[in-house]
RNA sequence: GGAGAGGUGGCCGAGCGGUUUAAGGCGCACGCUUGGAAAGCGUGUGGAGUCGAAAGGCUCUCGCAGGUUCGAAUCCUGUCCUCUCCGCCA
């Protein structure tokens, strides 16, 4: 959610930047609701004060008939006003929540993901002297990916992942936890990128896989039942990313300044309905309804929010580089960064079978947009209260990174060489 | 799933229809005291909104949401959560 004061002061800017992100918002209508709400609130306060005065004036004695009558009138007025306020407040909040976060100045203006800007290319795609196979072909040939039986048992876009690929996933997980837990590495990345941050390791978290509606809404990430799975008999949604469960952790809390930044790396199974992607990426494990994900989440003071974002991107690059996978770094354009984002970076990793870079990572700088609705704040040393900044970023989304490793590290006879950094976590095994 | 108990300020804990503008204690901050500290004494001590240049005022906030009443932390209804016991279970 944006600060209403900011919208009051900059209605034109907000309308324009919202449009750049592809959101049509009626700022006039919002400001009108805002004004109505203010007036109603002020009237209500006056009447509440009158009621308090009346009660106090009777000093615990039984009030006179006249006072009772006055009180009854006041109560009726207050009840009516409260009812009205509730209605207008709901409208106001809905309208306010529909306004997207403002993109930072360096975010390119664009109408679709096609206008994302490649700002860096790392690594050389490998030359193959044999016919390159896709993750689907490699996995099915060795019976490590079985989507046919998964479809029979559950539905399309689910899979049984088996054998070496499972070992690979657990190796990646352990390696990431170890890497992000390494304070010296974090410090090195901070120094290399000239960031004003403290070196503090990431704490691993296994979060709940479901969130209730109110909480999920507060993250600004709940887009309805066409994208997220809702449990039929409970007020609960299956998370679409660990971030959605980690971000609201400090809902309505005030964190002491010296406790920040808080850096988490969460591991969770993510569920996505993928509505609107029918027929897209149906092959292999690139786009699944269910996949495991390692996700970084950072809570920080506002002045370090952007640097935390940069750190997360540096970590992402480090991780992909360590795996030796060629990638491109994209500065996402206004249309693609997402509603709560102020800025967004994608890493697209080289997928040899498709001869394309495909999205494997995202880093989202949210600034205070989530924190405002979640009421996650910090208390300064001097006692001041401010909203925190939140950042989230993919460490690895399993289906996609496993696909990338499979395809980039395949041999002519359908084996998969294991990247060096993962071998210690696979009992020294060199290939699958 | 069944039965019971309970959710009050940073924490503990009183209050169970009106002198509560939430007692008291702990903690914390500042001051006095001291060579310095402890103890002692004094003062202050959450959040949101709103008016104001500020000082400060006002409204809301006793899990949450409704209701009863001139008046609700207190009574009623619903709901969520926690704990205990039982049941089931990895």
């Amino acid at each position: 959610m944006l600060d209403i004061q900011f919208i009051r002061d900059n209605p034109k800017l907000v309308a324009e930047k919202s449009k750049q992100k592809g959101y049509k918002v009626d700022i006039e209508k919002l400001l009108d609701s805002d004004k109505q709400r203010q007036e109603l609130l002020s009237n209500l306060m006056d009447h509440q004060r009158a009621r308090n005065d009346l009660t106090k004036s009777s000093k615990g004695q039984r009030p006179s008939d006249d006072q009772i009558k006055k009180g009854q009138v006041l109560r009726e007025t207050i009840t009516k006003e409260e009812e009205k306020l509730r209605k207008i407040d709901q409208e106001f909040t809905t309208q306010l929540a529909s306004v997207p976060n403002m993109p930072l100045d360096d975010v390119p203006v664009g109408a679709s993901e096609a206008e994302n800007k490649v700002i860096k290319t790392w690594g050389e795609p490998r030359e193959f002297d044999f016919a390159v196979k896709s993750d689907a072909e490699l996995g099915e040939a060795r019976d490590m990916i079985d989507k046919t039986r998964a479809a029979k048992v559950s539905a399309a876009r689910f899979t049984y992942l088996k054998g070496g690929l499972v070992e690979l996933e657990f190796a990646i997980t352990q390696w990431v936890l170890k890497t992000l837990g390494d304070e010296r590495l974090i410090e090195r990345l901070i120094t290399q990128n000239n960031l004003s941050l403290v070196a503090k390791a990431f704490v691993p978290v296994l979060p709940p896989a479901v969130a209730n509606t109110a909480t999920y809404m507060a993250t600004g990430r709940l887009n309805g039942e066409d994208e997220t799975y809702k449990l039929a008999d409970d007020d609960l949604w299956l998370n679409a990313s660990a971030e959605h469960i980690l971000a609201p952790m400090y809902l309505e809390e005030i964190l002491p300044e010296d406790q920040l930044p808080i850096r988490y790396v969460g591991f969770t199974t993510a569920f996505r309905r993928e509505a609107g992607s029918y027929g897209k990426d149906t092959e292999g494990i690139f786009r699944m309804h269910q996949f495991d994900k390692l996700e970084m989440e950072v809570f920080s003071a506002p002045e370090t929010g952007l640097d935390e974002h940069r750190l997360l991107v540096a970590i992402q690059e480090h991780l992909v580089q360590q795996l030796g996978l060629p990638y491109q770094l994209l500065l996402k354009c206004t249309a693609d960064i997402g509603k709560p984002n102020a800025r967004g970076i994608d890493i697209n990793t080289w997928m040899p079978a498709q001869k394309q870079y495909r999205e494997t990572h995202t880093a989202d700088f949210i600034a205070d947009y989530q924190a405002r609705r979640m009421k996650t704040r910090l208390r300064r040393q001097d006692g001041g209260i401010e909203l925190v900044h939140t950042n989230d970023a993919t460490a690895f989304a399993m289906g996609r990174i496993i696909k990338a490793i499979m395809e980039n590290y395949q041999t002519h006879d359908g084996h998969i060489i294991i990247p060096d950094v993962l071998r210690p976590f696979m009992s020294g095994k060199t290939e699958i």
Side-chain angles (χ1 to χ4, degrees), chain A residues 151-220:
Chain A
K152 178 176 72 180
V153 172
S154 53
R157 287 203 199 280
F158 288 91
T159 190
Y160 288 101
L161 203 68
K162 297 160 76 173
L165 295 186
V166 175
E167 291 179 58
L168 186 64
E169 172 168 330
F170 284 121
I172 291 169
T173 305
Q174 284 184 266
W175 168 60
V176 166
L177 294 188
K178 192 178 171 206
T179 305
L180 295 188
D182 181 354
E183 213 167 275
R184 287 211 311 252
L185 172 73
I186 307 290
E187 189 166 14
R188 208 177 76 213
L189 291 173
I190 288 171
T191 312
Q192 278 172 6
N193 290 279
N194 242 324
L195 306 172
S196 314
L197 297 173
V198 298
K200 195 173 169 186
F202 286 72
V203 176
V205 185
L206 284 172
V210 293
N212 61 55
T213 304
T215 308
Y216 216 143
M217 287 286 280
T219 63

Side-chain angles (χ1 to χ4, degrees), chain A residues 2 22 74 107 149 163 194 243 249 274 298 324 331-332 336 344 358 361 382 389 394 405 413 420 429:
Chain A
L2 277 186
L74 270 174
V107 176
R149 291 197 178 88
N194 242 324
E243 179 249 315
M249 186 188 266
E274 295 291 352
V298 176
L331 181 59
K332 295 209 276 183
D336 202 34
R358 297 296 308 270
H361 295 69
D382 68 7
H389 273 199
T394 322
I405 292 170
D413 56 355
D420 288 344
K429 219 181 268 186

Side-chain angles (χ1 to χ4, degrees), chain A residues 394-411:
Chain A
T394 322
F396 284 117
M398 286 304 172
R400 294 191 176 187
I401 206 63
I402 289 172
K403 173 183 164 77
I405 292 170
M406 289 172 80
E407 293 186 7
N408 281 283
Y409 282 95
Q410 62 184 291
T411 63

Side-chain angles (χ1 to χ4, degrees), chain A residues 290-320:
Chain A
Q290 176 194 330
F291 60 98
D292 295 329
K293 205 160 169 247
L294 284 154
E295 178 87 12
M296 299 176 277
E297 176 78 30
V298 176
F299 302 87
S300 72
E303 63 274 16
T304 58
L306 190 55
D307 269 4
E308 291 286 350
H309 170 65
R310 295 189 177 114
L311 173 63
L312 292 181
V313 174
I315 290 170
Q316 290 177 317
E317 286 197 69
H318 172 81
L319 289 172
V320 181

Side-chain angles (χ1 to χ4, degrees), chain A residues 76-302:
Chain A
E76 246 169 73
T77 314
I78 288 172
T79 307
K80 266 187 208 149
E81 282 174 344
E82 280 175 342
E83 219 167 286
K84 238 187 187 169
L85 183 69
R86 215 174 300 147
K87 218 180 119 198
I88 190 83
D89 207 47
Q90 205 182 0
E91 272 172 44
F92 171 73
T93 307
T94 309
Q95 287 167 8
L96 181 59
S98 75
V99 181
N101 199 2
M102 301 290 100
L104 295 190
D105 288 339
D106 73 338
V107 176
V109 176
S112 80
E113 62 176 309
E115 295 179 64
N116 292 344
K117 242 167 59 189
V118 176
I119 51 175
K120 180 176 182 180
T121 302
W122 186 92
E124 285 287 322
R126 174 183 158 201
E127 302 279 349
F128 292 89
D129 54 7
F130 55 88
V132 174
K133 292 194 180 76
S134 69
D135 61 322
E137 292 166 320
L138 289 162
E140 280 158 25
R142 301 281 174 176
D143 192 27
M144 294 192 295
I145 293 176
D146 185 353
K147 290 177 72 179
T148 311
R149 291 197 178 88
K152 178 176 72 180
V153 172
S154 53
R157 287 203 199 280
F158 288 91
T159 190
Y160 288 101
L161 203 68
K162 297 160 76 173
L165 295 186
V166 175
E167 291 179 58
L168 186 64
E169 172 168 330
F170 284 121
I172 291 169
T173 305
Q174 284 184 266
W175 168 60
V176 166
L177 294 188
K178 192 178 171 206
T179 305
L180 295 188
D182 181 354
E183 213 167 275
R184 287 211 311 252
L185 172 73
I186 307 290
E187 189 166 14
R188 208 177 76 213
L189 291 173
I190 288 171
T191 312
Q192 278 172 6
N193 290 279
N194 242 324
L195 306 172
S196 314
L197 297 173
V198 298
K200 195 173 169 186
F202 286 72
V203 176
V205 185
L206 284 172
V210 293
N212 61 55
T213 304
T215 308
Y216 216 143
M217 287 286 280
T219 63
R221 293 285 190 192
L222 187 58
N223 298 315
E225 295 191 32
D226 53 339
E227 289 183 30
T228 311
Y229 288 101
K230 170 89 167 66
L231 300 189
D233 296 325
D234 298 275
D235 180 37
L236 294 170
W237 303 75
L238 287 176
N239 84 92
S241 166
E243 179 249 315
H244 303 176
I245 303 287
L246 292 174
M249 186 188 266
Y250 297 109
L251 198 74
E252 285 172 22
E253 289 189 42
I254 300 172
L255 306 164
E257 183 178 13
D258 60 12
Q259 209 179 300
L260 299 173
I262 296 171
R263 297 188 180 129
Y264 285 130
V265 51
F267 178 90
T268 186
T269 303
F271 298 89
R272 298 188 179 184
R273 300 199 64 221
E274 295 291 352
S277 64
Y278 304 113
K280 235 196 271 175
D281 304 312
T282 52
E283 215 196 36
I285 55 172
F286 184 79
R287 189 183 297 278
M288 305 294 287
H289 283 314
Q290 176 194 330
F291 60 98
D292 295 329
K293 205 160 169 247
L294 284 154
E295 178 87 12
M296 299 176 277
E297 176 78 30
V298 176
F299 302 87
S300 72

